[in-house]
Amino acid sequence: MAFSDVREYTHLTDEEIEAIGRELDEIRAEVEASRGQADRDYVTRVITLQRRLAAAGRITLFASFFPPAWLLGTAMLGSAKILENMEIGHNTMHGQWDWMNDPEIHSSNWEWDTTQPAEQWKHSHNYIHHQFTNVLGHDNDIGYGILRMSRDQKWTPYNLGQPVYNALLALFFEWGVALHDLDIEAIRKGQKDPKLLKKQLKQIGDKVGKQAFKDYLMYPALSGPSFFHTLSANVTANIMRNVWSYMIIFCGHFPDGAVHFTEEELEDETRAEWYLRQMLGSANFEGGTLLHLMSGQLGYQIEHHLFPDLPSNRYAEIAVKVKDICRRYDIPYTTGPLHKQYGQTLRTIMKLSLPNRRTEDNPAPIAPRERRRLRDDERPTRRSELGKWSRAATA
């Protein structure tokens, strides 16, 4: 179910929503004022770790004809690619480290190790997705133009193939991302500017050529007689990165509790209401330090969407304050173990491959304040009704 008004969904007054906005502005100001050497040290350590992992993996793969060396080198290279994609590239291009004025770690200069050009990513992701998060018809991240992720999206026989499309998208995720800014839906409808399309395709072609040369020709050739072993290792490392980044990103907006919105929500939307939409349209997952590092701190997706340009290493401390705001104002804070969040996402993908009449809708998320009101209204007045009410309240 897509909602058209965050106020209606949360049952908050205009004054409460604006108060939430002021609190979140204060959190931003506090973090911005406290950025310093510890944050700089964090990102430089992560970049050093990633580069050493990549170098060690590449060197180990010179002996990739030896199975243990193939396994170890592939694991290190795949881990390095995940780190570069998630914690370094994604966050650097958000401008999280621009305050350091380091030209080597700056959103205007960073080009990441994947097939989508950074310029296109910053438009399709930083602007389109983050500005219009989970708004149907605006946010192309809702299914990436391939999958039906909301019952409000029209079903066609094409959607019967969603289980297959989903598996292919996971395996070749960097290629799906590479085409993301083209706006597949606009191309289908003939609404895409041909000149812009030609320019974007050339950018993608140039980037794909560089990536393919590096991973599938240059490094395998440097390993000499181990060419095909190294080639297979590089392919595997890229698939590792693809599947991991796909799962992390999909768990940020499609588990139960993450809300979709209609375009009516955008009408006269205030900054405070934008904050609220980010909180309602995103979902976190729980885990330890290593999991959050390898996921680019996107286990704190709610905090990332509130403050996409604040340093990722600060999201854990920000989350404590955001959860407190949600508790005090009875706003849903969607989180859970990674396997649960992805399980719910996968169930939605499978379910929405069928027409709405063939499936039941997932329970619509209910704000805690409204849930308590409904329970109070339904509270039994006779002892004989108590058992029935208790079962319904906990269902």
Side-chain angles (χ1 to χ4, degrees):
M1 178 186 296
F3 293 88
S4 60
D5 191 335
V6 294
R7 294 191 214 108
E8 179 183 349
Y9 170 65
T10 58
H11 299 274
L12 295 171
T13 65
D14 290 345
E15 291 75 17
E16 288 173 320
I17 292 174
E18 292 306 310
I20 291 169
R22 288 192 295 272
E23 288 197 50
L24 292 170
D25 283 339
E26 289 172 6
I27 293 173
R28 166 179 282 282
E30 289 172 5
V31 175
E32 287 179 337
S34 64
R35 291 178 302 198
Q37 191 61 44
D39 304 294
R40 184 188 301 270
D41 290 344
Y42 171 80
V43 70
T44 54
R45 282 198 307 269
V46 173
I47 291 174
T48 298
L49 170 64
Q50 186 273 330
R51 289 175 176 172
R52 289 177 177 175
L53 263 177
R58 299 287 189 191
I59 292 170
T60 303
L61 289 173
F62 281 121
S64 57
F65 60 87
F66 183 50
W70 188 95
L71 286 171
L72 180 60
T74 301
M76 288 191 291
L77 182 58
S79 298
K81 284 179 173 288
I82 288 171
L83 267 178
E84 196 282 331
N85 188 252
M86 303 299 292
E87 178 67 321
I88 303 172
H90 167 263
N91 293 334
T92 298
M93 290 189 295
H94 264 298
Q96 293 185 7
W97 312 106
D98 286 2
W99 59 274
M100 300 191 306
N101 293 318
D102 184 336
E104 294 186 7
I105 315 174
H106 198 278
S107 62
S108 62
N109 299 326
W110 194 275
E111 185 61 68
W112 57 348
D113 180 29
T114 187
T115 52
Q116 187 182 41
E119 178 186 339
Q120 293 187 25
W121 169 262
K122 285 183 283 190
H123 177 258
S124 64
H125 182 76
N126 294 7
Y127 174 65
I128 299 295
H129 171 59
H130 275 267
Q131 181 67 22
F132 304 108
T133 304
N134 272 25
V135 177
L136 295 169
H138 290 268
D139 184 3
N140 292 328
D141 277 30
I142 303 177
Y144 281 75
I146 300 171
L147 303 173
R148 179 176 180 248
M149 298 302 300
S150 170
R151 295 176 73 87
D152 295 271
Q153 294 173 308
K154 182 181 178 181
W155 181 89
T156 68
Y158 163 86
N159 298 117
L160 291 171
Q162 285 206 166
V164 175
Y165 312 150
N166 181 61
L168 292 174
L169 181 61
L171 290 171
F172 303 105
F173 193 58
E174 68 171 317
W175 301 94
V177 171
L179 302 176
H180 196 33
D181 198 39
L182 296 180
D183 193 347
I184 303 300
E185 189 64 27
I187 294 174
R188 286 176 183 162
K189 295 178 179 179
Q191 299 172 348
K192 184 77 175 184
D193 181 351
K195 292 183 179 179
L196 177 59
L197 177 60
K198 183 178 179 180
K199 175 187 174 183
Q200 290 179 316
L201 287 173
K202 184 180 184 305
Q203 287 179 324
I204 294 170
D206 291 344
K207 186 68 185 295
V208 167
K210 292 176 182 177
Q211 291 296 113
F213 174 77
K214 172 176 66 71
D215 279 343
Y216 305 139
L217 182 59
M218 184 181 76
Y219 281 115
L222 288 173
S223 64
S226 298
F227 180 95
F228 289 106
H229 294 96
T230 302
L231 175 62
S232 67
N234 288 355
V235 170
T236 303
N238 280 327
I239 290 176
M240 286 173 56
R241 185 268 321 281
N242 291 345
V243 173
W244 180 256
S245 57
Y246 148 83
M247 180 175 66
I248 296 301
I249 290 170
F250 268 57
C251 284
H253 296 290
F254 304 122
D256 295 357
V259 177
H260 291 115
F261 300 91
T262 64
E263 61 183 4
E264 285 77 15
E265 166 56 29
L266 300 175
E267 296 176 5
D268 301 319
E269 186 179 59
T270 66
R271 176 67 176 177
E273 290 169 342
W274 179 88
Y275 273 140
L276 198 54
R277 177 161 55 80
Q278 304 306 313
M279 297 164 76
L280 297 172
S282 304
N284 287 4
F285 59 80
E286 300 156 357
T289 301
L290 180 60
L291 176 59
H292 285 303
L293 172 67
M294 298 302 288
S295 62
Q297 310 298 333
L298 293 182
Y300 301 107
Q301 186 76 244
I302 295 171
E303 290 69 28
H304 172 62
H305 266 263
L306 290 171
F307 311 110
D309 58 347
L310 291 185
S312 60
N313 61 309
R314 307 295 287 273
Y315 286 155
E317 65 183 75
I318 293 172
V320 175
K321 299 176 181 179
V322 172
K323 282 191 279 190
D324 180 60
I325 291 173
C326 290
R327 178 188 59 79
R328 287 187 284 111
Y329 287 94
D330 290 328
I331 302 169
Y333 186 88
T334 303
T335 189
L338 180 59
H339 70 273
K340 178 182 177 182
Q341 302 298 73
Y342 183 66
Q344 292 176 349
T345 299
L346 188 61
R347 181 205 61 206
T348 296
I349 292 170
M350 300 304 169
K351 181 183 290 187
L352 293 181
S353 67
L354 300 174
N356 288 347
R357 67 178 184 276
R358 298 292 184 184
T359 62
E360 293 183 1
D361 194 3
N362 296 336
I366 302 176
R369 179 177 300 186
E370 177 67 3
R371 187 181 298 117
R372 286 201 300 271
R373 185 189 68 78
L374 290 172
R375 289 180 177 179
D376 289 342
D377 290 347
E378 295 170 0
R379 192 175 298 278
T381 56
R382 296 196 302 272
R383 183 171 299 179
S384 61
E385 297 175 351
L386 182 60
K388 179 180 179 180
W389 178 85
S390 298
R391 289 191 296 272
T394 56

